[in-house]
Amino acid sequence: MKMIAFSVRDDEEPFFREWSTKNNIQVDLIKDPLTDETMDKINGHDAVLALQTGEYPKSLFNKAQSLGIKVFSIRNVGVDNVDLKEASANNIAVTNVPAYSPTAIAEFSVTLLLQLLRKIDNFRKRSEQQDFRWEGNVGQEIHDKTIGVIGTGRIGKAAISIYRGFGAKIVAYDPYPDSKLAAEGIYVDSKEELYQKADIITLHMPASLKDKHMIDAQAISEMKDGVYLINTARGLLIDTAALIDGLKSGKVAGAGLDTYENESPLFNHDLRGKEIKDPLFNELRELENVIVTPHVAFYTDTAVKNMVRLSLNSAKSVIETGTADSIVNAE
């Protein structure tokens, strides 16, 4: 049995090597992403492991099937950039890591909000200029706010637990409600109702093409004046141009964004000294009431370890038994 992993970071390598030694299975580590140019490297392997926000090659699964690949295992949750139908058509199982650390992402989403509410970035910029005045940066407190949580899976529930610790009121929307939360009466019947009630809206849902630009100009117009938006889910959920308009008008008081709809050429790349030719992203970053981070909400030691080990275990299970609990393209 042989496996190959793409987009392997330095912090992942020890966990890959530890698992490889423990299981006596060869795992070849490739730092480059899986692209048309690197795809030939999968030859001679039984499983492919990958992690990238950008698109995978269109011919990936046809090529993989011809080379005897049995499983394509991604080291993250979201499968919106994976052609599951094509994988199934080529008899290749696709697995994900559905819960590497929900707490990591939930904690980070609250971290973004706290920085916005307490104007941390403004104070930091002033301090760098040795300006230590308070004026103009009065903060707000979470405990008297209504938090609107869209998506109540593992991450959404972890966020709800944290916000309750602050004493905030919770309203939630999910087309597939959690029975325990439903019994507590926190769900509203529609996203529109949540928009009208929430002071802060935090997104914890997967993404599909039907959800593209779910948060658009119309949605923003239905929200409270001075709403805060937090997105640690997927960039395509928010129409960035509409968000910028809302931020400039004051309709949206602030946004904490760990993901961006056109992030693939930007995030996890060293662009120091280079011109960023994305006017929308550049305009977004110039706004004082926005915090942008490069899709790192998941990035803790616990999460990295779990993402590597669970993806490897799933791939091993598929090869040995033909199935795994985390297969996402099962009939």
Side-chain angles (χ1 to χ4, degrees):
M1 184 188 306
K2 287 177 63 178
M3 302 184 187
I4 184 169
F6 289 86
S7 301
V8 176
R9 304 184 309 273
D10 291 346
D11 55 89
E12 293 180 301
E13 282 195 25
F15 302 118
F16 273 110
R17 300 196 188 285
E18 177 187 4
W19 186 94
S20 177
T21 300
K22 180 179 179 180
N23 290 274
N24 195 29
I25 294 173
Q26 180 176 334
V27 183
D28 295 325
L29 307 182
I30 308 297
K31 291 187 179 295
D32 296 323
L34 182 53
T35 64
D36 289 311
E37 289 71 31
T38 62
M39 191 163 52
D40 284 342
K41 294 180 184 292
I42 70 177
N43 191 15
H45 297 85
D46 303 291
V48 176
L49 292 87
L51 172 62
Q52 59 198 58
T53 57
E55 294 298 317
Y56 292 101
K58 294 186 182 301
S59 60
L60 168 62
F61 293 112
N62 183 266
K63 176 84 168 180
Q65 193 273 339
S66 71
L67 295 175
I69 299 295
K70 299 177 179 64
V71 56
F72 181 70
S73 183
I74 60 173
R75 305 193 298 278
N76 60 301
V77 179
V79 295
D80 46 292
N81 61 340
V82 180
D83 191 336
L84 298 180
K85 290 184 179 179
E86 187 68 14
S88 297
N90 284 281
N91 297 313
I92 294 175
V94 177
T95 69
N96 72 343
V97 183
Y100 41 84
S101 182
T103 303
I105 298 171
E107 287 182 357
F108 196 84
S109 68
V110 180
T111 299
L112 288 175
L113 177 62
L114 283 168
Q115 291 186 79
L116 289 167
L117 291 180
R118 299 308 299 267
K119 309 294 179 67
I120 299 299
D121 203 38
N122 291 0
F123 282 117
R124 179 185 61 79
K125 289 175 181 177
R126 281 190 178 186
S127 294
E128 288 174 352
Q129 299 173 12
Q130 298 185 173
D131 181 353
F132 303 110
R133 292 173 299 166
W134 307 345
E135 290 83 355
N137 285 316
V138 63
Q140 299 182 55
E141 300 176 19
I142 292 178
H143 80 91
D144 60 357
K145 298 289 189 292
T146 296
I147 312 293
V149 180
I150 301 181
T152 56
R154 294 179 178 91
I155 299 169
K157 282 187 281 192
I160 288 170
S161 178
I162 295 170
Y163 281 118
R164 281 178 167 166
F166 282 94
K169 178 182 178 181
I170 307 293
V171 295
Y173 174 78
D174 195 310
Y176 306 100
D178 177 85
S179 58
K180 183 178 179 181
L181 292 177
E184 297 172 4
I186 70 168
Y187 285 108
V188 293
D189 294 329
S190 67
K191 294 190 292 290
E192 291 73 21
E193 185 178 353
L194 183 142
Y195 297 156
Q196 294 164 13
K197 292 184 175 181
D199 301 301
I200 294 150
I201 297 172
T202 181
L203 305 181
H204 298 290
M205 58 181 286
S208 63
L209 287 178
K210 69 180 178 63
D211 297 313
K212 181 176 181 179
H213 290 178
M214 178 187 79
I215 304 295
D216 57 9
Q218 177 60 37
I220 291 172
S221 72
E222 296 170 1
M223 298 175 186
K224 285 186 174 183
D225 292 343
V227 67
Y228 285 85
L229 292 174
I230 307 295
N231 186 11
T232 53
R234 282 293 185 270
L236 65 78
L237 295 173
I238 295 180
D239 180 341
T240 307
L243 174 61
I244 289 172
D245 289 342
L247 288 160
K248 287 183 173 181
S249 72
K251 177 71 176 183
V252 181
L257 308 172
D258 186 51
T259 182
Y260 166 63
E261 59 180 315
N262 303 313
E263 69 183 48
S264 295
L266 303 169
F267 291 178
N268 203 27
H269 298 291
D270 185 354
L271 301 179
R272 286 176 292 183
K274 299 179 182 178
E275 180 185 1
I276 295 178
K277 298 179 180 180
D278 183 337
L280 202 62
F281 184 69
N282 290 334
E283 186 175 8
L284 186 68
R285 288 193 305 148
E286 289 174 0
L287 298 174
E288 290 188 355
N289 51 348
V290 175
I291 297 174
V292 178
T293 51
H295 212 137
V296 292
F298 77 95
Y299 198 40
T300 65
D301 52 358
T302 298
V304 170
K305 175 179 68 177
N306 289 340
M307 292 166 81
V308 170
R309 291 179 177 176
L310 293 174
S311 63
L312 286 164
N313 287 338
S314 294
K316 179 174 181 287
S317 178
V318 171
I319 294 169
E320 292 180 340
T321 70
T323 188
D325 292 338
S326 57
I327 292 178
V328 293
N329 63 329
E331 294 297 332

